[in-house]
Amino acid sequence: LVGLINNDANNPGVTASLLYYNDAYHLVLNGNDAGTDYKISVNASSVEVWEAGSAFTVDSDNATRSTKITDLDQFSGTLSGDETIEITGTDHNGNAITQVNLNVTSNTKLSHIVDEINDAFDGIAKATLENGKIVLTDKAAGTSSLSINLNYTDGDSSSTLTLPTMAVK
């Protein structure tokens, strides 16, 4: 296992080693970049994960769930009241989810987008915001037909919102 982790071409910057202590071997994982936060997860089955190709940012820093859409670096212009974010996609089995049209107001936050994605997938997949990126994880293991698309419609306004392209991670 140590060799598989250390020699993996897709290793994100983790070094594995073994520690012998109390008559047992223990797997030790260390991040290679001091001061960087890491999240370690063990996936015992094959689940599909979709991730935004780019992060939402505010003044070049990663946005959080409480960030308002109008505060994003990716937003410009003025809202007129008829702007929407359209959420479409398919579930694990390839069935279309019910399309969601989220009305964008001056108080709409990234948490609203994440919550609407979770409502649309109705427990079949789980959306989160990690380091400014929307991540959608299929709840079922195995071959998946999961997909998600986000589209912004500016209505009658001259506003723009650049939404990231979602793709399998």
Side-chain angles (χ1 to χ4, degrees):
L1 184 57
V2 168
L4 289 172
I5 293 170
N6 292 336
N7 296 321
D8 186 348
N10 296 318
N11 183 321
V14 175
T15 300
S17 59
L18 286 178
L19 171 68
Y20 186 74
Y21 177 76
N22 265 357
D23 297 320
Y25 285 98
H26 303 271
L27 178 66
V28 179
L29 301 172
N30 291 305
N32 295 339
D33 295 326
T36 303
D37 291 335
Y38 285 94
K39 178 176 147 186
I40 296 174
S41 61
V42 176
N43 182 356
S45 63
S46 176
V47 296
E48 190 164 294
V49 177
W50 283 64
E51 182 177 88
S54 59
F56 287 110
T57 57
V58 177
D59 297 328
S60 300
D61 290 329
N62 289 339
T64 65
R65 286 181 52 90
S66 62
T67 301
K68 291 182 180 179
I69 300 296
T70 53
D71 292 338
L72 294 171
D73 295 337
Q74 293 78 11
F75 179 85
S76 65
T78 305
L79 297 174
S80 67
D82 57 353
E83 298 81 5
T84 59
I85 296 174
E86 178 184 279
I87 302 167
T88 58
T90 55
D91 66 16
H92 179 86
N93 296 316
N95 300 315
I97 62 167
T98 302
Q99 178 177 318
V100 174
N101 291 317
L102 172 64
N103 293 322
V104 179
T105 69
S106 59
N107 292 317
T108 304
K109 301 175 184 174
L110 287 177
S111 62
H112 294 117
I113 297 174
V114 171
D115 292 346
E116 289 295 336
I117 292 170
N118 283 326
D119 287 347
F121 281 91
D122 195 25
I124 296 167
K126 173 76 173 161
T128 57
L129 187 71
E130 299 177 12
N131 299 317
K133 292 183 177 184
I134 294 174
V135 177
L136 181 66
T137 305
D138 196 338
K139 292 278 190 143
T143 303
S144 177
S145 294
L146 184 75
S147 70
I148 182 171
N149 295 300
L150 305 173
N151 293 304
Y152 179 71
T153 303
D154 64 353
D156 293 330
S157 75
S158 59
S159 65
T160 61
L161 175 61
T162 304
L163 292 170
T165 302
M166 301 290 293
V168 175
K169 180 178 177 183

